[in-house]
Protein backbone atom coordinates (compact mmCIF):
# COMPACT_ATOMS: atom_id res chain seq x y z
CA UNK A 1 0.00 0.00 0.00
CA UNK A 2 1.25 3.52 -0.83
CA UNK A 3 2.26 5.64 2.17
CA UNK A 4 -0.39 8.07 3.40
CA UNK A 5 0.48 11.54 2.13
CA UNK A 6 0.26 14.36 4.64
CA UNK A 7 0.11 17.85 3.13
CA UNK A 8 1.70 20.23 5.59
CA UNK A 9 1.41 24.01 5.29
CA UNK A 10 4.85 25.54 4.83
CA UNK A 11 5.97 28.33 7.10
CA UNK A 12 4.36 29.32 10.38
CA UNK A 13 2.69 25.97 11.13
CA UNK A 14 5.67 23.85 10.12
CA UNK A 15 7.70 24.03 13.32
CA UNK A 16 4.84 23.19 15.70
CA UNK A 17 3.60 20.42 13.41
CA UNK A 18 7.08 18.85 13.42
CA UNK A 19 7.16 19.09 17.23
CA UNK A 20 3.84 17.22 17.29
CA UNK A 21 5.18 14.57 14.90
CA UNK A 22 8.17 14.17 17.26
CA UNK A 23 5.76 13.69 20.19
CA UNK A 24 3.99 11.01 18.16
CA UNK A 25 7.33 9.19 17.93
CA UNK A 26 7.66 9.74 14.16
CA UNK A 27 11.04 10.07 12.46
CA UNK A 28 11.22 13.74 11.46
CA UNK A 29 14.96 13.78 10.56
CA UNK A 30 14.31 14.25 6.81
CA UNK A 31 11.75 17.02 7.47
CA UNK A 32 14.23 18.85 9.67
CA UNK A 33 17.02 18.56 7.07
CA UNK A 34 14.77 19.08 4.07
CA UNK A 35 16.88 21.56 2.11
CA UNK A 36 14.74 22.42 -0.95
CA UNK A 37 12.99 19.04 -1.10
CA UNK A 38 9.19 19.18 -1.04
CA UNK A 39 8.23 15.53 -0.36
CA UNK A 40 9.87 13.95 2.65
CA UNK A 41 9.53 10.57 4.36
CA UNK A 42 8.22 10.71 7.94
CA UNK A 43 8.30 7.14 9.28
CA UNK A 44 5.65 5.20 7.29
CA UNK A 45 4.12 8.45 5.97
CA UNK A 46 5.11 11.03 3.36
CA UNK A 47 5.00 14.74 4.18
CA UNK A 48 4.25 17.12 1.31
CA UNK A 49 5.17 20.75 1.94
CA UNK A 50 2.76 23.17 0.27
CA UNK A 51 1.29 26.66 0.53
CA UNK A 52 -1.94 26.76 2.54
CA UNK A 53 -4.40 27.12 -0.34
CA UNK A 54 -2.59 24.37 -2.23
CA UNK A 55 -2.93 22.00 0.76
CA UNK A 56 -6.69 22.27 0.22
CA UNK A 57 -6.34 21.73 -3.55
CA UNK A 58 -4.23 18.58 -3.07
CA UNK A 59 -6.66 17.20 -0.48
CA UNK A 60 -9.75 17.97 -2.58
CA UNK A 61 -8.21 16.24 -5.61
CA UNK A 62 -7.20 13.24 -3.52
CA UNK A 63 -3.48 13.38 -4.30
CA UNK A 64 -2.82 13.88 -0.58
CA UNK A 65 -4.84 12.14 2.13
CA UNK A 66 -4.45 14.30 5.23
CA UNK A 67 -3.82 18.05 5.38
CA UNK A 68 -2.66 20.40 8.12
CA UNK A 69 -3.87 23.89 7.34
CA UNK A 70 -5.13 27.05 9.05
CA UNK A 71 -8.83 27.67 9.62
CA UNK A 72 -8.32 30.96 7.73
CA UNK A 73 -7.72 29.02 4.51
CA UNK A 74 -10.54 26.58 5.29
CA UNK A 75 -12.98 29.48 5.75
CA UNK A 76 -11.87 30.99 2.45
CA UNK A 77 -12.01 27.69 0.54
CA UNK A 78 -14.72 25.62 2.25
CA UNK A 79 -16.10 22.45 0.79
CA UNK A 80 -14.99 19.13 -0.60
CA UNK A 81 -13.12 17.62 2.33
CA UNK A 82 -13.67 16.69 5.99
CA UNK A 83 -12.31 18.80 8.85
CA UNK A 84 -11.49 16.36 11.66
CA UNK A 85 -9.44 18.05 14.36
CA UNK A 86 -8.45 21.40 15.84
CA UNK A 87 -4.71 21.16 16.56
CA UNK A 88 -4.63 24.27 18.75
CA UNK A 89 -1.45 25.52 17.04
CA UNK A 90 -1.09 28.57 14.78
CA UNK A 91 -3.57 30.49 16.90
CA UNK A 92 -4.51 33.93 15.62
CA UNK A 93 -7.72 35.63 14.47
CA UNK A 94 -9.41 37.36 11.60
CA UNK A 95 -10.10 40.99 12.38
CA UNK A 96 -11.50 44.06 10.71
CA UNK A 97 -8.93 46.82 11.10
CA UNK A 98 -8.50 50.37 9.91
CA UNK A 99 -6.60 53.61 10.47
CA UNK A 100 -6.29 54.48 14.16
CA UNK A 101 -8.93 56.84 15.49
CA UNK A 102 -11.19 56.70 12.42
CA UNK A 103 -14.86 55.81 13.04
CA UNK A 104 -15.30 53.08 10.42
CA UNK A 105 -19.05 52.71 10.97
CA UNK A 106 -19.63 56.47 10.97
CA UNK A 107 -20.98 58.33 7.92
CA UNK A 108 -23.11 57.04 5.06
CA UNK A 109 -20.55 56.52 2.29
CA UNK A 110 -20.10 52.93 1.18
CA UNK A 111 -16.86 51.38 2.34
CA UNK A 112 -14.02 49.64 0.52
CA UNK A 113 -12.36 46.65 2.16
CA UNK A 114 -9.01 45.20 1.14
CA UNK A 115 -8.29 41.58 1.98
CA UNK A 116 -6.53 38.39 0.99
CA UNK A 117 -9.75 36.61 2.03
CA UNK A 118 -12.64 38.03 -0.07
CA UNK A 119 -15.12 35.26 0.87
CA UNK A 120 -14.48 35.70 4.59
CA UNK A 121 -14.90 39.47 4.26
CA UNK A 122 -18.02 39.09 2.12
CA UNK A 123 -19.67 36.76 4.67
CA UNK A 124 -18.76 39.04 7.57
CA UNK A 125 -20.35 42.11 5.97
CA UNK A 126 -23.35 40.32 4.50
CA UNK A 127 -24.22 39.04 8.03
CA UNK A 128 -24.23 42.70 9.07
CA UNK A 129 -26.37 43.58 6.05
CA UNK A 130 -23.67 46.02 4.97
CA UNK A 131 -22.88 46.53 1.31
CA UNK A 132 -19.14 46.98 0.84
CA UNK A 133 -16.74 46.92 -2.09
CA UNK A 134 -14.08 44.25 -1.65
CA UNK A 135 -10.65 44.43 -3.28
CA UNK A 136 -8.42 41.36 -3.25
CA UNK A 137 -4.81 41.97 -2.23
CA UNK A 138 -2.18 39.21 -2.23
CA UNK A 139 -0.03 40.18 0.76
CA UNK A 140 0.78 42.97 3.24
CA UNK A 141 -2.87 44.05 3.08
CA UNK A 142 -2.05 46.76 5.63
CA UNK A 143 -0.72 48.82 2.71
CA UNK A 144 -4.19 49.31 1.20
CA UNK A 145 -5.61 51.73 3.82
CA UNK A 146 -2.23 53.46 4.11
CA UNK A 147 -2.33 54.12 0.36
CA UNK A 148 -6.03 55.09 0.63
CA UNK A 149 -7.13 52.24 -1.62
CA UNK A 150 -9.41 50.95 1.15
CA UNK A 151 -11.16 52.20 4.28
CA UNK A 152 -10.29 49.04 6.21
CA UNK A 153 -8.92 45.52 5.91
CA UNK A 154 -10.04 42.05 6.91
CA UNK A 155 -6.85 40.20 7.75
CA UNK A 156 -5.10 37.84 10.11
CA UNK A 157 -3.89 39.36 13.36
CA UNK A 158 -1.48 37.41 15.51
CA UNK A 159 0.46 39.73 17.84
CA UNK A 160 -1.06 42.98 16.49
CA UNK A 161 2.44 44.31 15.83
CA UNK A 162 1.97 44.80 12.07
CA UNK A 163 -1.22 46.82 12.65
CA UNK A 164 0.38 48.88 15.42
CA UNK A 165 3.55 49.69 13.50
CA UNK A 166 1.50 50.87 10.52
CA UNK A 167 -0.89 53.12 12.44
CA UNK A 168 -3.85 50.75 12.19
CA UNK A 169 -6.09 49.30 14.90
CA UNK A 170 -8.67 46.56 15.30
CA UNK A 171 -12.22 47.73 14.68
CA UNK A 172 -13.83 44.36 15.36
CA UNK A 173 -12.80 40.72 15.76
CA UNK A 174 -14.19 38.52 12.99
CA UNK A 175 -13.30 34.93 13.91
CA UNK A 176 -10.67 32.92 15.82
CA UNK A 177 -8.23 30.83 13.78
CA UNK A 178 -6.07 27.77 14.50
CA UNK A 179 -4.60 24.90 12.51
CA UNK A 180 -6.92 22.06 11.56
CA UNK A 181 -6.59 18.54 10.20
CA UNK A 182 -8.50 18.00 6.97
CA UNK A 183 -8.96 14.72 5.13
CA UNK A 184 -9.85 13.70 1.59
CA UNK A 185 -13.37 12.23 1.55
CA UNK A 186 -12.52 9.09 -0.45
CA UNK A 187 -9.33 8.45 1.56
CA UNK A 188 -11.34 8.48 4.78
CA UNK A 189 -13.57 5.73 3.38
CA UNK A 190 -10.80 3.62 1.80
CA UNK A 191 -8.11 3.97 4.49
CA UNK A 192 -10.31 4.70 7.49
CA UNK A 193 -8.37 2.86 10.21
CA UNK A 194 -4.95 4.20 9.13
CA UNK A 195 -6.25 7.76 8.97
CA UNK A 196 -8.17 7.51 12.23
CA UNK A 197 -5.07 6.08 13.91
CA UNK A 198 -2.91 8.96 12.64
CA UNK A 199 -5.45 11.59 13.68
CA UNK A 200 -5.93 10.02 17.14
CA UNK A 201 -2.16 10.02 17.70
CA UNK A 202 -1.96 13.64 16.54
CA UNK A 203 -4.76 14.50 18.95
CA UNK A 204 -2.77 12.93 21.81
CA UNK A 205 0.37 14.84 20.74
CA UNK A 206 -1.32 18.25 20.94
CA UNK A 207 0.96 20.89 22.41
CA UNK A 208 -1.67 22.54 24.61
C1 LIG B 1 0.14 38.00 8.34
C2 LIG B 1 -1.01 38.99 8.26
C3 LIG B 1 -0.40 40.24 8.88
C4 LIG B 1 0.57 39.69 9.90
C5 LIG B 1 -0.04 39.76 11.28
O1 LIG B 1 0.95 38.21 7.24
O2 LIG B 1 -1.44 39.18 6.93
O3 LIG B 1 0.25 41.01 7.90
O4 LIG B 1 0.81 38.32 9.55
O5 LIG B 1 0.84 39.34 12.28
P1 LIG B 1 1.05 40.18 13.61
O6 LIG B 1 -0.30 40.52 14.16
O7 LIG B 1 1.81 39.25 14.53
O8 LIG B 1 1.85 41.40 13.27
P2 LIG B 1 2.06 37.17 6.79
O9 LIG B 1 3.31 37.42 7.55
O10 LIG B 1 1.52 35.78 6.89
O11 LIG B 1 2.35 37.57 5.29
P3 LIG B 1 1.43 38.24 4.17
O12 LIG B 1 1.30 39.68 4.49
O13 LIG B 1 2.19 38.01 2.91
O14 LIG B 1 0.10 37.55 4.20
Amino acid sequence: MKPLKIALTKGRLEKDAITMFDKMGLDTAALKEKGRRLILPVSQYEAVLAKAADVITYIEHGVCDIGIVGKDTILEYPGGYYELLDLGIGKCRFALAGPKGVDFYGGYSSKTIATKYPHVAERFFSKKGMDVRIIKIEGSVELAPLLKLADAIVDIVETGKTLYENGLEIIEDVEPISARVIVNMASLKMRKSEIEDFVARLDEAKLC
Side-chain angles (χ1 to χ4, degrees), residues 12 116 138-142 155-163:
R12 289 181 192 216
K116 249 170 94 172
E138 291 301 330
S140 299
V141 181
E142 295 83 359
D155 197 25
I156 291 171
V157 178
E158 190 180 356
T159 60
K161 204 163 173 240
T162 311
L163 291 181

Side-chain angles (χ1 to χ4, degrees), residues 5-203:
K5 282 199 179 59
I6 301 158
L8 173 57
T9 303
K10 283 200 276 194
R12 289 181 192 216
L13 295 180
E14 221 177 299
K15 204 167 147 248
D16 280 348
I18 293 174
T19 307
M20 294 177 76
F21 291 167
D22 280 333
K23 274 184 84 180
M24 290 165 72
L26 299 177
D27 178 2
T28 58
L31 255 188
K32 286 174 183 154
E33 303 287 330
K34 66 181 191 301
R36 309 290 287 181
R37 277 185 301 161
L38 299 169
I39 302 184
L40 294 310
V42 178
S43 295
Q44 70 270 44
Y45 308 108
E46 251 172 22
V48 175
L49 293 171
K51 275 191 82 164
D54 298 335
V55 167
I56 297 211
T57 303
Y58 294 136
I59 294 298
E60 275 189 321
H61 287 272
V63 295
C64 290
D65 305 287
I66 299 172
I68 296 180
V69 65
K71 184 72 178 178
D72 51 327
T73 311
I74 292 175
L75 289 168
E76 187 62 22
Y77 304 101
Y81 50 85
Y82 294 121
E83 181 186 325
L84 293 192
L85 180 65
D86 182 349
L87 289 174
I89 58 172
K91 280 193 177 166
C92 50
R93 63 200 199 270
F94 271 129
L96 172 68
K100 204 165 186 300
V102 175
D103 177 13
F104 174 78
Y105 291 113
Y108 294 100
S109 65
S110 95
K111 303 288 191 262
T112 300
I113 306 298
T115 185
K116 249 170 94 172
Y117 302 87
H119 294 118
V120 172
E122 215 171 273
R123 273 199 305 273
F124 175 70
F125 286 104
S126 80
K127 266 191 212 150
K128 288 183 179 296
M130 229 176 122
D131 198 17
V132 298
R133 184 163 75 118
I134 292 173
I135 298 179
K136 171 118 196 259
I137 297 289
E138 291 301 330
S140 299
V141 181
E142 295 83 359
L143 278 172
L146 299 180
L147 296 173
K148 309 261 185 283
L149 175 67
D151 299 288
I153 61 176
V154 168
D155 197 25
I156 291 171
V157 178
E158 190 180 356
T159 60
K161 204 163 173 240
T162 311
L163 291 181
Y164 179 77
E165 292 192 4
N166 290 290
L168 305 172
E169 65 182 3
I170 290 179
I171 298 163
E172 206 175 315
D173 279 340
V174 175
E175 200 143 352
I177 295 169
S178 56
R180 308 296 162 100
V181 175
I182 61 170
V183 175
N184 172 266
M185 289 174 157
S187 298
L188 191 61
K189 280 203 188 86
M190 318 264 288
R191 303 184 70 172
K192 193 172 166 55
S193 62
E194 275 175 281
I195 290 176
E196 282 179 352
D197 172 67
F198 179 84
V199 174
R201 286 166 64 205
L202 247 189
D203 194 17

